[in-house]
Amino acid sequence: TQLLEQSPQFLSIQEGENLTVYCNSSSVFSSLQWYRQEPGEGPVLLVTVVTGGEVKKLKRLTFQFGDARKDSSLHITAAQPGDTGLYLCAGAWYNDMRFGAGTRLTVKP
Amino acid sequence: ETGVTQSPTHLIKTRGQQVTLRCSSQSGHNTVSWYQQALGQGPQFIFQYYREEENGRGNFPPRFSGLQFPNYSSELNVNALELDDSALYLCAGAKADLGYTFGSGTRLTVV
């Protein structure tokens, strides 16, 4: 079983739509990170959230860390084809980061 | 350019062989972690090195081993390759709590 559960596993939407993906765990994390990965490349860090209830915005992306620091969400407004990719959440776990299985997002023009 | 370079980019090996994957990290990345990513999955933690010593290990057998060198480079060695070892192997450098910087990975295929 994964330490971090991401949902949905796959998401296919039209350009201009809004979407939210989720990252849930029964464990408490000192910090949580979101990454985006494109085919043939390594994950690229989007944001780190540390404080329970924290909200961070990165252009059209809004990240929220749950009050209990067990879950997080990523909301994308007016999705564009360039947002297509695998979105991974990762939680700080002892001396390392542990990843969820990811949400594969496809945005159709 | 991410600051983390992995080589080779692709590799094909035969079951039972040994393989060494390399990672070169930028100055200041005193922590390096290795991950295995199977197709359609998230990265799975193999192990982490900090100042040239193993600092944590995931659920991987001893035939997965590593080294970290003073010049911030590191190696992942896998002995007695199995078909299930076929995956993308990712190296990530970290400095303090600034998040991980990943290389583009080595795609290993075991036949």
Side-chain angles (χ1 to χ4, degrees):
Chain A
T1 57
Q2 294 273 31
L3 192 62
L4 289 157
E5 298 289 338
Q6 291 191 243
S7 61
Q9 187 178 358
F10 298 95
L11 186 58
S12 181
I13 61 171
Q14 292 295 133
E15 181 177 3
E17 292 183 358
N18 301 332
L19 67 113
T20 303
V21 298
Y22 300 91
C23 175
N24 296 292
S25 177
S26 58
S27 301
V28 176
F29 294 99
S30 59
S31 67
L32 194 141
Q33 299 178 345
W34 284 91
Y35 292 80
R36 180 168 156 238
Q37 184 177 23
E38 299 197 37
E41 299 293 327
V44 175
L45 179 66
L46 296 174
V47 76
T48 300
V49 286
V50 178
T51 306
E54 182 177 3
V55 177
K56 281 191 174 180
K57 292 194 175 185
L58 185 67
K59 297 183 180 178
R60 293 177 293 102
L61 278 59
T62 301
F63 304 86
Q64 184 161 8
F65 201 13
D67 291 342
R69 292 185 290 132
K70 292 182 179 182
D71 53 82
S72 181
S73 63
L74 158 60
H75 181 79
I76 301 179
T77 303
Q80 299 176 0
D83 295 327
T84 294
L86 178 67
Y87 288 82
L88 296 158
C89 68
W93 184 255
Y94 292 96
N95 289 331
D96 202 61
M97 303 293 291
R98 301 302 173 97
F99 284 80
T103 292
R104 189 162 298 280
L105 172 66
T106 302
V107 182
K108 301 175 184 176
Chain B
E1 176 59 48
T2 67
V4 178
T5 305
Q6 292 187 242
S7 62
T9 56
H10 296 82
L11 195 56
I12 300 176
K13 302 291 276 187
T14 303
R15 188 171 50 182
Q17 285 187 312
Q18 178 267 342
V19 69
T20 297
L21 310 182
R22 293 182 172 83
C23 173
S24 176
S25 188
Q26 69 187 35
S27 175
H29 281 172
N30 53 14
T31 298
V32 64
S33 295
W34 284 89
Y35 289 83
Q36 180 196 66
Q37 187 175 23
L39 206 60
Q41 298 295 318
Q44 296 293 315
F45 173 61
I46 303 175
F47 45 57
Q48 180 189 82
Y49 279 80
Y50 175 69
R51 293 185 177 179
E52 303 167 48
E53 292 196 2
E54 188 176 291
N55 194 38
R57 190 177 183 91
N59 190 26
F60 280 79
R63 59 190 185 84
F64 286 78
S65 63
L67 286 171
Q68 185 186 25
F69 303 100
N71 64 353
Y72 303 105
S73 66
S74 68
E75 292 180 353
L76 164 64
N77 299 288
V78 187
N79 293 323
L81 284 166
E82 301 177 359
L83 297 179
D84 285 349
D85 295 334
S86 295
L88 179 69
Y89 288 85
L90 295 162
C91 165
K95 180 162 50 175
D97 291 326
L98 300 179
Y100 278 39
T101 300
F102 281 86
S104 296
T106 294
R107 171 73 61 190
L108 173 65
T109 302
V110 182
V111 297

